[in-house]
Amino acid sequence: MSDINNYVAPRSLDEAAEALRAGNVTLLAGGTDLMPQSRSGRTPLRPTLVNIRRIPELRGLSESGGTIRIGPLATITELRDSALVRERLQALWQACDSFASDQVRNAATIGGNICNASPAGDTLVPLLVLDAQVELASKPNGALAKRALPLADFVLGPGQTARASTELLSGIVVASSPEDFISSFFKFGTRPALDISMISIGFAARRAGKTLRDVRVAFGAVAPRPIRAPATEAALEGKALDDNVIGAAAKAADAEIHPISDVRASDWYRREMVRNMFTRMLTHVRDH
Amino acid sequence: MSATIDIRFRLNGVDTEVSVPATMSALEMLRDRLDLTGTKYACGEGECGACTISVDGVTVNSCLMFAADCDGRELMTIEGLAASSVGEALRASFTRNGAVQCGFCTPGIMMQAHSVLQKHGSCEPADLKRTIEGNLCRCTGYVKIIDSMAEACVAADEGA
Ligand SMILES: Cc1cc2nc3c(=O)[nH]c(=O)nc-3n(C[C@H](O)[C@H](O)[C@H](O)COP(=O)(O)OP(=O)(O)OC[C@H]3O[C@@H](n4cnc5c(N)ncnc54)[C@H](O)[C@@H]3O)c2cc1C
Ligand code: FES
Ligand code: FES
């Protein structure tokens, strides 16, 4: 583990942004990624460690004016216990419900999950189908400034994001969904609670009877970052779900993913899982 | 050398002050600085739950927590739990059911069981099983552990 000359625990967003401006900072939220990664040397800590957990502006979960705003410090447990998330953001709720263990969920934050940018990050897939925006805060010239960008443009590759070293994630925003909107998340891993996903699938759409509109599909752990699948979405858009449409969508999905073989699963196995589980998910949507 | 931070928190009901290196884990602080060795170190990666403690009323893996982050918070370890009536009840139930062999996993599992009792959740074995997904036991097998938890859970419900 690397040496730290300076540890700060700012009490406001403004103070945290000021610390980031000075440079050479590692941000600490729940620590569930940072502790093992810094111990193993995968992510050496920079000289200044900034613990952001005492910042009130980064907490909470609220709905107003057609949007739901999630503070990056919301823990997976908080999201899982939230009626708002369970009822309005089903796919995200399902991801939180199948996330790690009670102990990890109590410490792990959604902001940490997003910024860690793992190809298997479980909140990324549902947030992609919910068309989430992320908000970044910094103090470029002395005053606090914010910019927003789609999550799809934020996560770039394993451990890589569009975050500048002087910025921090200050909010996650999703549109509160219309009544006819459904979303779901499926994850497969070998030890259900504690293994990171071998594959994961997110699905969302508005539906009238069996017909789907505004279809969104995302896959995790089958490419260097969680991805949206536009050709798969097109295969479903405006269609009434039947065996042919479901078959065509599964085929489109197979063409859009790029799984690798690693210690968790082979490329072939991941493809089989995506095809079968995606078919099962769509069949479930059709029949319910 | 790493920066040293002075932190204060409540530990098992007692105000505590300690200076820790910025990179130290809460687990190392408890065991090596405060001599509370009931909390165990095994995997060091959040997988086994042997290091489970309670922070501000919820359980976490102390091996994944920076000691510095304990500042201003309320901690309870197995030593604190053991001194309470709930700890007594859990110990009695684990002993009666033979849910302890080497005992290495036991403090973490009891901390987790205690958190379940506090939440007044379901006492159904299937639900209890999910709550200890983050705790590994190499020797006892989980049946006796779940039985003990269920017994303590029902007793707590009846007592309430
Ligand atoms: C045993 C175990 C099981 C796990 N299971 C799962 C699982 O099932 N699914 C899953 O997706 N993940 C899993 N994880 C990974 C981890 O728990 C999550 O990624 C968690 O959400 C990270 O949040 P944190 O608050 O602990 O992040 P930290 O470790 O504090 O930070 C993670 C990274 O994000 C940065 N960061 C944090 N907050 C911000 C911010 N606001 N702005 C900018 N940068 C920031 C940090 O600098 C660091 O680089 C598991 C981890 C363990 C140890
Ligand atoms: S030592 Fe902390 S979970 Fe294993
Ligand atoms: S009793 Fe030995 S590890 Fe559980």
Side-chain angles (χ1 to χ4, degrees):
Chain A
M1 188 173 275
S2 34
D3 286 347
I4 297 178
N5 323 325
N6 196 8
Y7 169 87
V8 272
R11 298 270 165 179
S12 70
L13 185 55
D14 194 84
E15 266 177 61
E18 193 64 47
L20 279 165
R21 195 152 82 108
N24 261 325
V25 165
T26 303
L27 292 169
L28 166 66
T32 62
D33 279 319
L34 205 58
M35 182 64 94
Q37 288 173 7
S38 58
R39 292 270 154 139
S40 70
R42 267 173 295 158
T43 315
L45 297 173
R46 300 207 185 82
T48 301
L49 184 61
V50 175
N51 184 348
I52 57 173
R53 287 179 21 89
R54 307 298 150 77
I55 303 176
E57 293 108 299
L58 301 182
R59 300 199 160 273
L61 186 74
S62 61
E63 183 177 21
S64 74
T67 58
I68 296 173
R69 193 187 161 83
I70 305 173
L73 289 179
T75 64
I76 304 300
T77 298
E78 280 162 11
L79 297 172
R80 185 172 175 251
D81 288 348
S82 151
L84 185 62
V85 175
R86 198 179 58 239
E87 284 155 24
R88 310 297 293 281
L89 311 173
Q90 291 111 338
L92 182 61
W93 185 84
Q94 286 163 359
C96 293
D97 190 49
S98 63
F99 195 110
S101 61
D102 199 42
Q103 292 96 318
V104 174
R105 285 194 296 269
N106 286 339
T109 67
I110 187 167
N113 196 241
I114 294 173
C115 292
N116 191 53
S118 157
D122 278 338
T123 67
L124 296 169
V125 170
L127 289 173
L128 278 176
V129 297
L130 294 167
D131 266 344
Q133 297 255 328
V134 295
E135 189 184 273
L136 298 163
S138 63
K139 283 182 88 174
N141 27 29
L144 194 66
K146 289 187 181 169
R147 66 173 176 128
L149 70 164
L151 177 69
D153 298 338
F154 181 69
V155 179
L156 304 176
Q160 288 181 331
T161 66
R163 182 178 79 86
S165 63
T166 51
E167 288 177 316
L168 83 162
L169 178 65
S170 55
I172 301 125
V173 179
V174 291
S176 37
S177 32
E179 285 294 315
D180 57 354
F181 186 83
I182 51 162
S183 72
S184 59
F185 172 80
F186 172 85
K187 151 181 178 175
F188 183 73
T190 42
R191 185 179 158 203
L194 285 148
D195 213 27
I196 62 165
S197 295
M198 205 141 84
I199 61 127
S200 61
I201 308 174
F203 173 79
R206 300 179 65 165
R207 74 169 190 183
K210 291 198 187 333
T211 308
L212 303 177
R213 301 212 184 273
D214 199 7
V215 179
R216 304 160 197 177
V217 178
F219 296 110
V222 293
R225 57 174 177 159
I227 50 162
R228 277 281 286 267
T232 310
E233 292 172 355
L236 293 164
E237 185 65 42
K239 305 254 169 65
L241 279 181
D242 61 26
D243 285 346
N244 282 339
V245 170
I246 293 175
K251 214 168 158 189
D254 191 60
E256 260 178 316
I257 58 176
H258 307 280
I260 53 161
S261 295
D262 65 9
V263 288
R264 274 179 220 98
S266 67
D267 152 20
W268 176 86
Y269 189 70
R270 284 195 160 97
R271 281 187 184 282
E272 283 292 302
M273 283 303 294
V274 167
R275 254 205 318 267
N276 292 329
M277 291 305 142
F278 190 46
T279 301
R280 189 197 279 186
M281 259 174 121
L282 293 175
T283 309
H284 185 85
V285 170
R286 181 190 64 192
D287 299 341
H288 286 84
Chain B
M1 264 300 289
S2 258
T4 303
I5 310 131
D6 299 326
I7 55 173
R8 295 153 175 255
F9 49 92
R10 264 182 95 73
L11 174 60
N12 298 326
V14 179
D15 286 324
T16 306
E17 284 187 43
V18 45
S19 290
V20 291
T23 52
M24 183 178 253
S25 70
L27 175 58
E28 289 161 337
M29 174 185 78
L30 291 169
R31 290 182 57 87
D32 305 343
R33 286 294 169 82
L34 300 167
D35 212 25
L36 294 176
T37 52
T39 309
K40 302 302 181 207
Y41 173 89
C43 69
E45 299 204 328
E47 300 273 354
C48 73
C51 66
T52 302
I53 61 167
S54 160
V55 178
D56 291 338
V58 297
T59 50
V60 299
N61 300 114
S62 60
C63 71
L64 297 179
M65 186 180 182
F66 284 76
D69 199 25
C70 294
D71 190 40
R73 303 175 87 176
E74 174 109 31
L75 274 62
M76 185 171 73
T77 66
I78 187 67
E79 288 84 357
L81 177 62
S84 72
S85 57
V86 187
E88 262 318 312
L90 278 170
R91 182 161 50 202
S93 157
F94 272 62
T95 315
R96 203 162 39 241
N97 287 287
V100 180
Q101 277 191 35
C102 77
F104 194 86
C105 69
T106 312
I109 288 186
M110 284 200 178
M111 291 305 295
Q112 192 55 26
H114 171 247
S115 127
V116 176
L117 297 191
Q118 272 189 319
K119 278 190 199 149
H120 300 292
S122 146
C123 296
E124 285 302 313
D127 297 326
L128 291 171
K129 199 168 158 188
R130 272 210 75 185
T131 66
I132 57 156
E133 276 174 331
N135 295 81
L136 294 180
C137 174
R138 297 190 51 156
C139 23
T140 305
Y142 299 97
V143 175
K144 291 172 176 178
I145 292 173
I146 302 284
D147 286 350
S148 314
M149 285 173 67
E151 200 177 292
C153 191
V154 170
D157 268 6
E158 284 167 356

mmCIF file of all heavy atoms in Angstrom, chain B residues 27 40-51 61-64, ligand 2:
data_model
loop_
_atom_site.group_PDB
_atom_site.id
_atom_site.type_symbol
_atom_site.label_atom_id
_atom_site.label_comp_id
_atom_site.label_asym_id
_atom_site.label_seq_id
_atom_site.Cartn_x
_atom_site.Cartn_y
_atom_site.Cartn_z
ATOM 1 N N LEU B 27 -10.355 -3.244 11.121
ATOM 2 C CA LEU B 27 -10.052 -4.545 11.723
ATOM 3 C C LEU B 27 -8.679 -4.535 12.410
ATOM 4 O O LEU B 27 -8.534 -4.986 13.554
ATOM 5 C CB LEU B 27 -10.101 -5.627 10.635
ATOM 6 C CG LEU B 27 -9.707 -7.047 11.044
ATOM 7 C CD1 LEU B 27 -10.583 -7.555 12.174
ATOM 8 C CD2 LEU B 27 -9.814 -7.988 9.840
ATOM 9 N N LYS B 40 -12.382 -11.433 13.997
ATOM 10 C CA LYS B 40 -11.335 -12.252 13.363
ATOM 11 C C LYS B 40 -10.891 -11.730 12.004
ATOM 12 O O LYS B 40 -11.660 -11.133 11.273
ATOM 13 C CB LYS B 40 -11.845 -13.688 13.179
ATOM 14 C CG LYS B 40 -12.271 -14.373 14.460
ATOM 15 C CD LYS B 40 -11.147 -14.430 15.481
ATOM 16 C CE LYS B 40 -11.577 -15.152 16.748
ATOM 17 N NZ LYS B 40 -10.822 -14.684 17.911
ATOM 18 N N TYR B 41 -9.646 -12.024 11.677
ATOM 19 C CA TYR B 41 -9.098 -11.724 10.355
ATOM 20 C C TYR B 41 -8.945 -13.035 9.601
ATOM 21 O O TYR B 41 -8.283 -13.958 10.078
ATOM 22 C CB TYR B 41 -7.732 -11.060 10.475
ATOM 23 C CG TYR B 41 -7.049 -10.873 9.137
ATOM 24 C CD1 TYR B 41 -7.265 -9.710 8.404
ATOM 25 C CD2 TYR B 41 -6.230 -11.855 8.599
ATOM 26 C CE1 TYR B 41 -6.681 -9.543 7.168
ATOM 27 C CE2 TYR B 41 -5.638 -11.692 7.357
ATOM 28 C CZ TYR B 41 -5.871 -10.538 6.643
ATOM 29 O OH TYR B 41 -5.288 -10.375 5.413
ATOM 30 N N ALA B 42 -9.573 -13.138 8.409
ATOM 31 C CA ALA B 42 -9.360 -14.346 7.609
ATOM 32 C C ALA B 42 -9.035 -13.960 6.174
ATOM 33 O O ALA B 42 -7.881 -13.893 5.792
ATOM 34 C CB ALA B 42 -10.567 -15.269 7.687
ATOM 35 N N CYS B 43 -10.062 -13.664 5.376
ATOM 36 C CA CYS B 43 -9.794 -13.417 3.950
ATOM 37 C C CYS B 43 -9.268 -12.013 3.688
ATOM 38 O O CYS B 43 -8.523 -11.782 2.748
ATOM 39 C CB CYS B 43 -11.063 -13.654 3.140
ATOM 40 S SG CYS B 43 -12.343 -12.415 3.428
ATOM 41 N N GLY B 44 -9.666 -11.046 4.504
ATOM 42 C CA GLY B 44 -9.259 -9.659 4.272
ATOM 43 C C GLY B 44 -9.878 -9.037 3.034
ATOM 44 O O GLY B 44 -9.458 -7.973 2.592
ATOM 45 N N GLU B 45 -10.889 -9.677 2.459
ATOM 46 C CA GLU B 45 -11.463 -9.173 1.201
ATOM 47 C C GLU B 45 -12.984 -9.094 1.188
ATOM 48 O O GLU B 45 -13.594 -9.035 0.132
ATOM 49 C CB GLU B 45 -11.030 -10.077 0.047
ATOM 50 C CG GLU B 45 -9.528 -10.113 -0.121
ATOM 51 C CD GLU B 45 -9.118 -10.490 -1.515
ATOM 52 O OE1 GLU B 45 -9.866 -11.278 -2.138
ATOM 53 O OE2 GLU B 45 -8.083 -9.995 -1.978
ATOM 54 N N GLY B 46 -13.607 -9.168 2.345
ATOM 55 C CA GLY B 46 -15.060 -9.033 2.374
ATOM 56 C C GLY B 46 -15.821 -10.300 2.021
ATOM 57 O O GLY B 46 -17.038 -10.269 1.860
ATOM 58 N N GLU B 47 -15.122 -11.415 1.905
ATOM 59 C CA GLU B 47 -15.772 -12.645 1.445
ATOM 60 C C GLU B 47 -16.291 -13.531 2.578
ATOM 61 O O GLU B 47 -17.229 -14.293 2.382
ATOM 62 C CB GLU B 47 -14.788 -13.492 0.618
ATOM 63 C CG GLU B 47 -14.247 -12.800 -0.620
ATOM 64 C CD GLU B 47 -15.150 -12.982 -1.828
ATOM 65 O OE1 GLU B 47 -16.136 -13.750 -1.734
ATOM 66 O OE2 GLU B 47 -14.885 -12.332 -2.855
ATOM 67 N N CYS B 48 -15.651 -13.494 3.753
ATOM 68 C CA CYS B 48 -15.941 -14.529 4.754
ATOM 69 C C CYS B 48 -16.766 -14.050 5.941
ATOM 70 O O CYS B 48 -17.369 -14.853 6.638
ATOM 71 C CB CYS B 48 -14.639 -15.138 5.265
ATOM 72 S SG CYS B 48 -13.718 -14.046 6.367
ATOM 73 N N GLY B 49 -16.763 -12.752 6.215
ATOM 74 C CA GLY B 49 -17.585 -12.226 7.299
ATOM 75 C C GLY B 49 -17.023 -12.429 8.702
ATOM 76 O O GLY B 49 -17.665 -12.049 9.684
ATOM 77 N N ALA B 50 -15.829 -13.006 8.839
ATOM 78 C CA ALA B 50 -15.261 -13.251 10.172
ATOM 79 C C ALA B 50 -14.971 -11.931 10.902
ATOM 80 O O ALA B 50 -14.889 -11.907 12.126
ATOM 81 C CB ALA B 50 -13.978 -14.074 10.060
ATOM 82 N N CYS B 51 -14.833 -10.854 10.133
ATOM 83 C CA CYS B 51 -14.461 -9.553 10.705
ATOM 84 C C CYS B 51 -15.664 -8.654 10.925
ATOM 85 O O CYS B 51 -15.500 -7.453 11.129
ATOM 86 C CB CYS B 51 -13.494 -8.854 9.755
ATOM 87 S SG CYS B 51 -14.297 -8.441 8.190
ATOM 88 N N ASN B 61 -18.077 -5.258 7.039
ATOM 89 C CA ASN B 61 -16.828 -6.007 7.125
ATOM 90 C C ASN B 61 -15.746 -5.034 7.568
ATOM 91 O O ASN B 61 -15.386 -4.124 6.823
ATOM 92 C CB ASN B 61 -16.444 -6.576 5.750
ATOM 93 C CG ASN B 61 -17.499 -7.510 5.183
ATOM 94 O OD1 ASN B 61 -18.126 -7.209 4.175
ATOM 95 N ND2 ASN B 61 -17.692 -8.637 5.824
ATOM 96 N N SER B 62 -15.201 -5.242 8.771
ATOM 97 C CA SER B 62 -14.207 -4.261 9.258
ATOM 98 C C SER B 62 -12.908 -4.330 8.453
ATOM 99 O O SER B 62 -12.126 -3.391 8.456
ATOM 100 C CB SER B 62 -13.932 -4.450 10.745
ATOM 101 O OG SER B 62 -13.438 -5.745 11.015
ATOM 102 N N CYS B 63 -12.686 -5.418 7.717
ATOM 103 C CA CYS B 63 -11.474 -5.517 6.885
ATOM 104 C C CYS B 63 -11.547 -4.599 5.669
ATOM 105 O O CYS B 63 -10.538 -4.307 5.046
ATOM 106 C CB CYS B 63 -11.212 -6.962 6.445
ATOM 107 S SG CYS B 63 -12.378 -7.600 5.219
ATOM 108 N N LEU B 64 -12.776 -4.162 5.303
ATOM 109 C CA LEU B 64 -12.931 -3.295 4.129
ATOM 110 C C LEU B 64 -13.052 -1.829 4.516
ATOM 111 O O LEU B 64 -13.198 -0.962 3.669
ATOM 112 C CB LEU B 64 -14.195 -3.689 3.343
ATOM 113 C CG LEU B 64 -14.249 -5.087 2.735
ATOM 114 C CD1 LEU B 64 -15.584 -5.291 2.024
ATOM 115 C CD2 LEU B 64 -13.096 -5.310 1.766
HETATM 116 S S1 FES C 2 -11.722 -10.954 6.948
HETATM 117 FE FE1 FES C 2 -13.195 -9.472 6.468
HETATM 118 S S2 FES C 2 -14.613 -10.588 5.320
HETATM 119 FE FE2 FES C 2 -13.036 -12.027 5.595
#
